[in-house]
Amino acid sequence: MIAPAGNQYLFNRNLMMKAKAVWLYLLLFGGLSVTFIVAAMIDPNVGKGINGLTDKNRYSQKDINPLMLKYTTGIRSIFADSKGDIWFGSDQEGVALLHKGKFEYFNKSNGLSDHQVRNIYEDKNGVVWFECGRGLSRYQDGKMAVYTQKDYHKKNDWKLNKNSIWFKGNEMEAYNQLEGNPGVYEYDGKNLSYRTFPIRSRVGHENHYSISTAFVKGKNGRLWFGSYGAVLGYDGNNFKILNDSTLGLSDKTGHLHTRAIMEDRKGNLWIGNNGIGVLRYDGNKVVNFTVEQKLRKADIGGNSLEKVFALAEDQSGNIWFGTVGSGVWRYDGKLMKNFTKADGLESQHIWTIYKTPQGELWFGGANPSGVYQLTGDRFERKF
């Protein structure tokens, strides 16, 4: 049927409007469908949501949208708790909680004892603890609060308790009057008690034996504590003390300045230092790994393995070293490889290396601040 000439304009106009509506419908819903189908082919978890993942601890950038931490002073600590949430402690800006794809930030104004968060732990009851520059805080039942209940009556009551977690002293440096001597706090699931080390600081060097690393549980049950001037091991009966004196260090060799400790799967203790590089202790002797690998600045001229602030072992047994100023190094048992900005690692100052429950290594850095992960042969910013 042919429309009358007088209605031709109205007829054409209605036809064009219907065609445009159909086109917009196809563009909108067809495009979304294609996008969803393609995304599902790439990632089978698309559409399930974070809570729909098989492993509740599994987080990746594609699952949570491209969110980046707002911190600028560096990432000093990372921890994935038993609920599947992830915590990021900063150097001077508090701690961030990643929960269901969103960040929540905590500082002194909402329950944190200090803006520097050095280490994060979880106790046997699922309470998350934050070892800050000064004091402790904990996150329980959705609330952050400073923890102040401390016992000083049994400072020499040393025992190996399977579920205990250990913290540095209450001060940013050295120790206070109640602590009275270098040592650590033990939380056994009920009480937080101060334990004194069997070493004494010299006058003017009160910070020499202050805790500088996270504690380490060795494979034989021994606890290791890293302080600036010594590494102490406790086996339930006796202490093993590695310091300048026992290691034969001097002004000529350089002194111990511990910034990281780690025990590998073979039982070797690795000690990262700010200055003399990495020491490796096999239970009998100590070797300066940096000297052995000829990775001092005097040897190599460029990036070195002298200022090591982070250590980790990956699923394949490779040892990783996070440095200040020289990026990341990897040791495969034979060769060393250096990763820098040329490999996508923007941060050349690595504060921490965290091994996730899935075995991934996350590298927390500063200048610029961020969390990085090695994908293939290149690093990518993850958070």
Side-chain angles (χ1 to χ4, degrees):
M1 177 179 178
I2 300 175
N7 295 326
Q8 186 67 42
Y9 171 78
L10 183 60
F11 176 82
N12 291 340
R13 183 172 179 272
N14 290 337
L15 184 61
M16 291 177 65
M17 290 179 66
K18 290 180 180 179
K20 184 180 292 185
V22 171
W23 180 80
L24 287 173
Y25 179 89
L26 291 173
L27 178 64
L28 177 61
F29 295 99
L32 286 174
S33 298
V34 171
T35 300
F36 185 86
I37 292 170
V38 172
M41 290 173 66
I42 296 173
D43 180 8
N45 291 310
V46 168
K48 295 182 180 179
I50 291 176
N51 292 329
L53 295 177
T54 302
D55 185 342
K56 66 179 181 179
N57 282 326
R58 181 180 177 274
Y59 277 94
S60 68
Q61 197 61 47
K62 61 178 177 294
D63 298 325
I64 62 169
N65 298 324
L67 293 175
M68 293 295 163
L69 288 160
K70 70 177 185 179
Y71 292 145
T72 61
T73 58
I75 308 301
R76 287 196 66 153
S77 53
I78 305 171
F79 183 75
D81 67 27
S82 61
K83 300 177 182 65
D85 295 328
I86 307 176
W87 297 88
F88 301 91
S90 72
D91 185 44
Q92 294 294 331
E93 300 162 274
V95 70
L97 164 63
L98 178 60
H99 175 69
K100 294 185 177 180
K102 294 183 180 180
F103 284 117
E104 182 178 0
Y105 292 88
F106 297 87
N107 54 38
K108 291 172 68 174
S109 68
N110 58 350
L112 209 58
S113 65
D114 190 74
H115 287 157
Q116 185 180 93
V117 181
R118 298 188 180 186
N119 293 296
I120 307 171
Y121 306 107
E122 185 174 17
D123 67 25
K124 64 179 182 179
N125 300 313
V127 178
V128 181
W129 292 77
F130 305 89
E131 181 184 77
C132 298
R134 286 187 176 86
L136 294 172
S137 288
R138 65 179 189 175
Y139 185 79
Q140 185 176 20
D141 299 327
K143 296 181 180 180
M144 182 77 73
V146 178
Y147 191 85
T148 59
Q149 302 171 27
K150 300 170 184 176
D151 183 11
Y152 298 95
H153 294 96
K154 298 180 180 180
K155 295 182 181 180
N156 294 310
D157 191 14
W158 279 92
K159 296 177 182 178
L160 280 183
N161 297 307
K162 180 180 178 181
N163 295 315
S164 289
I165 50 179
W166 305 78
F167 307 97
K168 64 180 281 297
N170 196 56
E171 302 301 316
M172 184 73 75
E173 297 179 348
Y175 44 87
N176 61 31
Q177 187 173 0
L178 288 172
E179 293 163 351
N181 193 69
V184 291
Y185 286 94
E186 177 189 8
Y187 183 72
D188 62 5
K190 295 181 179 179
N191 302 305
L192 183 70
S193 306
Y194 193 70
R195 310 294 185 210
T196 297
F197 286 145
I199 49 179
R200 296 289 183 271
S201 297
R202 292 185 291 119
V203 176
H205 296 268
E206 287 80 7
N207 193 40
H208 195 60
Y209 296 126
S210 296
I211 291 294
S212 59
T213 76
F215 75 93
V216 168
K217 289 184 178 180
K219 296 186 179 304
N220 61 358
R222 176 176 283 167
L223 286 172
W224 289 103
F225 303 98
S227 73
Y228 293 111
V231 176
L232 300 96
Y234 177 67
D235 63 6
N237 296 301
N238 301 298
F239 278 90
K240 175 71 176 181
I241 300 175
L242 304 175
N243 57 17
D244 284 355
S245 177
T246 60
L247 297 176
L249 299 176
S250 63
D251 290 343
K252 183 178 180 180
T253 62
H255 297 278
L256 206 64
H257 187 173
T258 309
R259 298 311 306 249
I261 58 174
M262 186 269 294
E263 188 176 289
D264 66 23
R265 63 184 63 184
K266 298 177 181 178
N268 296 309
L269 180 71
W270 298 78
I271 305 171
N273 288 272
N274 182 16
I276 63 171
V278 179
L279 304 179
R280 183 180 59 201
Y281 175 60
D282 64 3
N284 295 306
K285 64 178 182 179
V286 175
V287 173
N288 190 314
F289 180 78
T290 298
V291 173
E292 180 183 74
Q293 296 292 315
K294 298 181 179 180
L295 289 176
R296 294 176 299 179
K297 265 198 185 302
D299 301 320
I300 199 168
N303 288 346
S304 71
L305 194 67
E306 291 178 313
K307 298 183 177 182
V308 177
F309 278 53
L311 294 161
E313 183 179 23
D314 66 21
Q315 299 284 70
S316 301
N318 299 313
I319 308 297
W320 293 80
F321 311 89
T323 74
V324 173
S326 296
V328 168
W329 290 84
R330 180 183 66 194
Y331 178 59
D332 66 4
K334 295 181 180 179
L335 301 174
M336 295 288 295
K337 178 175 174 58
N338 188 208
F339 296 87
T340 64
K341 288 183 179 181
D343 305 291
L345 184 66
E346 291 296 322
S347 293
Q348 299 304 288
H349 179 163
I350 302 299
W351 275 115
T352 185
I353 306 174
Y354 178 68
K355 190 173 184 177
T356 72
Q358 296 73 42
E360 298 175 346
L361 294 187
W362 292 355
F363 299 76
N367 303 321
S369 180
V371 177
Y372 298 83
Q373 183 179 0
L374 184 66
T375 302
D377 293 325
R378 290 191 60 79
F379 275 88
E380 296 178 354
R381 172 88 181 265
K382 189 172 183 67
F383 299 109

